Amino acid sequence: SQQGEEDPQALSIQEGENATMNCSYKTSINNLQWYRQNSGRGLVHLILIRSNEREKHSGRLRVTLDTSKKSSSLLITASRAADTASYFCATGVSGGYNKLIFGAGTRLAVHP
Amino acid sequence: SQTIHQWPATLVQPVGSPLSLECTVEGTSNPNLYWYRQAAGRGLQLLFYSVGIGQISSEVPQNLSASRPQDRQFILSSKKLLLSDSGFYLCAWSPKRGNTEAFFGQGTRLTVV
């Protein structure tokens, strides 16, 4: 079953603008992760934020986590056409094997 | 460095035919291994995971099975494919330690006709 719900489902912006994607989840988590998928390819890990962290940065990426609201956001600043992809949040939950539950993703299109 | 290989990249199979997708990991030992399926425009659904040789757990009962004959080899199989088995199949691995990311192969696009 899918736990993460991304919002919006699709996002279209111009180069240079910021892109914000949100993720909500339902159960307790160990961590929350964001992945990127170019069309027809595998997923690439972007960033992991642990349940006791509130904000994390990596280059042009900023992730926040609000465990009281069971939500996370991914901000991509100064977007580029190469950022065009689908972005998925995945919740790391207890299960003895690094179980990840993925949302349906946000399709981001960045126009030159 | 660790790498994950998954093949074939695309596959078209008739209904009722068998399936074998293979995934191998290099550069690490005793990884957790996973098979996911992704329907068009959707997120990933975990099908199977394995924490060791011969240890397979299924998340979703269906027409597929998985095997791990060697530490870094994970195979997804079916004896008779259904139309509903079409999709994008992804193999992934993660280290045993907790709070870690997963590393994905490039996926196999399976079309059952």
Side-chain angles (χ1 to χ4, degrees), chain B residues 5-28:
Chain B
H5 303 281
Q6 184 182 344
W7 69 92
T10 60
L11 192 59
V12 180
Q13 291 284 97
V15 168
S17 64
L19 172 73
S20 181
L21 302 180
E22 189 163 343
C23 172
T24 59
V25 180
E26 295 178 357
T28 187

Side-chain angles (χ1 to χ4, degrees), chain B residues 51-84:
Chain B
V51 298
I53 295 174
Q55 300 179 62
I56 309 295
S57 295
S58 173
E59 284 286 304
V60 182
Q62 54 201 308
N63 186 41
L64 302 168
S65 62
S67 62
R68 184 172 178 174
Q70 300 180 46
D71 180 47
R72 291 170 290 175
Q73 183 185 28
F74 206 22
I75 297 171
L76 182 69
S77 303
S78 174
K79 293 182 178 178
K80 290 185 178 182
L81 285 169
L82 306 172
L83 287 173
S84 58

Side-chain angles (χ1 to χ4, degrees), chain B residues 82-113:
Chain B
L82 306 172
L83 287 173
S84 58
D85 292 324
S86 293
F88 191 54
Y89 290 83
L90 289 153
C91 180
W93 76 273
S94 71
K96 280 285 190 292
R97 66 179 187 277
N99 275 328
T100 182
E101 66 267 38
F103 301 90
F104 285 81
Q106 289 302 301
T108 295
R109 174 76 57 193
L110 172 66
T111 304
V112 183
V113 296

Side-chain angles (χ1 to χ4, degrees), chain A residues 67-111:
Chain A
T67 52
S68 66
K69 295 182 179 178
K70 291 186 167 58
S71 66
S72 172
S73 67
L74 170 68
L75 169 67
I76 303 174
T77 59
S79 63
R80 306 165 181 167
D83 294 329
T84 295
S86 291
Y87 292 82
F88 295 90
C89 72
T91 49
V93 300
S94 297
Y97 61 93
N98 291 327
K99 182 174 182 176
L100 289 177
I101 303 177
F102 283 82
T106 293
R107 296 186 305 280
L108 173 65
V110 182
H111 302 285

